[in-house]
Amino acid sequence: MRKLIWGAVLAPIFAAALSGCDAPRQQVAVYERDAVPERLSDWHIVEVIDGELTPNSGVTPYDLNTALFTDYAHKLRTVWMPAGSSAKYGDERFEYPVGTVLSKTFYYPKDSSGAVLRTDDYSKDYVEGRAGEALDLDNVRLMETRILVKRADGWQALPYVWNAEQTDATLEIAGDASRLQLVDASGDNAVFTYVVPDANQCAGCHADNHSQKAVMPLGPRARHLNRDYAYTSGVQNQLLHWQQIGYLSELPEFGAIPRNADYSDASLTLEERARAYLDINCGHCHNPSGAADTSGLMLAHNEQDRRRLGLCKPPVAAGTGSGNRLFAIVPGAPDQSILNFRVESTDPGAMMPELGRSLVHEEGTALLREWVASMPGSCS
């Protein structure tokens, strides 16, 4: 029998999230590290009720300025903290209280035939009147939900895979794989394998300090969260909202808070957009403490050295990963740049990131090509 440590429900101001649900919800539950539930529904974080995937009371959705690309999947992210506790603000990472549960549900919009769609349009994903919170299962196909829970000894990552009936998800420590056809707006389709990483692979990406090997949240940090969100109660900056509901303390003056760019915002500079894209997709490994530190290629948001960022930087080791190109970035020449070759590849021996995608992110790679092509100078 699993041992439940404790559960809690936060303030009544979240009761609106349950509108339309007849039965009262059970409390959010937190289990011992070695006694986690086999079913996602036993966490009571997000559950299927009346054809909707809906967060529990006190479970707050959030989004990122620029998100990690995962084969065009859409994502519903949530955060929950025990009653009376809050995260402590920090520019690089928050200090989350023990018991915090982060969830990320990966899903695809679908058409009337059940085909999964490649689209940036989220408008049909949600139940009418509850945009940003409750997913409409008539319009989406759920793939997986990843749970990241803060224990007394650190974070634990747990992957749950949704069943064919779309009623619940089951813990799959070894991961999973599904063959899908992704249909775009013109009717063209791409066949690919959607891969759910195993628990060790989750830990590999989320340990952005390779020597410590400690799992950490990557998305819910100040620069990624500093944006508006359309809550059912109204549009509000996420950091201010977290502070208002008691989830964030020691928030500094707003002008001092960093903010990553939205990579798709054409009103911003190429530099801002490309650096934001590289930060979220590559910076967790390509930083001075990350798993790719020996490469010498640093792609995190705060890197200022252009050589370390890749400009005219030769690879540490040549081979298939370099595409027989001489430098990470050749200014003005994306076709001669290793960085462009690797993000555009689907060869497991060359592609970057190594995990999390089977397809090329056409919009992201086009941005990086434009960025490199705009750079002046040469490596001669």
Side-chain angles (χ1 to χ4, degrees), residues 23-104:
R25 302 281 290 274
Q26 292 190 45
Q27 295 179 334
V28 169
V30 176
Y31 295 80
E32 289 183 333
R33 177 178 283 274
D34 58 352
V36 297
E38 293 182 7
R39 297 185 307 169
L40 176 68
S41 58
D42 289 333
W43 285 97
H44 305 295
I45 292 290
V46 291
E47 297 172 281
V48 173
I49 300 176
D50 297 333
E52 304 172 6
L53 182 72
T54 181
N56 206 344
S57 178
V59 178
T60 301
Y62 68 90
D63 204 356
L64 312 180
N65 281 310
T66 290
L68 178 74
F69 172 72
T70 312
D71 285 338
Y72 292 101
H74 290 197
K75 299 162 189 176
L76 172 65
R77 302 169 178 84
T78 72
V79 57
W80 176 87
M81 297 180 202
S85 64
S86 65
K88 181 180 177 181
Y89 178 89
D91 280 350
E92 283 304 311
R93 60 173 56 126
F94 296 166
E95 185 179 320
Y96 286 92
V98 171
T100 297
V101 182
L102 301 168
S103 83
K104 183 162 60 171

Side-chain angles (χ1 to χ4, degrees), residues 103-176:
S103 83
K104 183 162 60 171
T105 297
F106 297 70
Y107 67 93
Y108 287 97
K110 65 181 182 181
D111 63 17
S112 57
S113 72
V116 297
L117 305 177
R118 173 185 158 181
T119 175
D120 291 330
D121 183 5
Y122 276 66
S123 64
K124 296 180 181 179
D125 297 358
Y126 297 103
V127 176
E128 186 176 356
R130 298 174 66 196
E133 295 190 0
L135 292 176
D136 187 342
L137 298 189
D138 286 337
N139 296 332
V140 304
R141 173 177 172 176
L142 306 174
M143 300 302 299
E144 58 166 318
T145 296
R146 301 179 192 175
I147 293 289
L148 199 59
V149 54
K150 179 68 178 294
R151 310 294 194 184
D153 60 350
W155 291 90
Q156 182 179 18
L158 301 164
Y160 288 83
V161 177
W162 282 90
N163 59 23
E165 297 76 22
Q166 302 280 273
T167 55
D168 208 345
T170 304
L171 180 65
E172 297 290 352
I173 295 296
D176 190 56

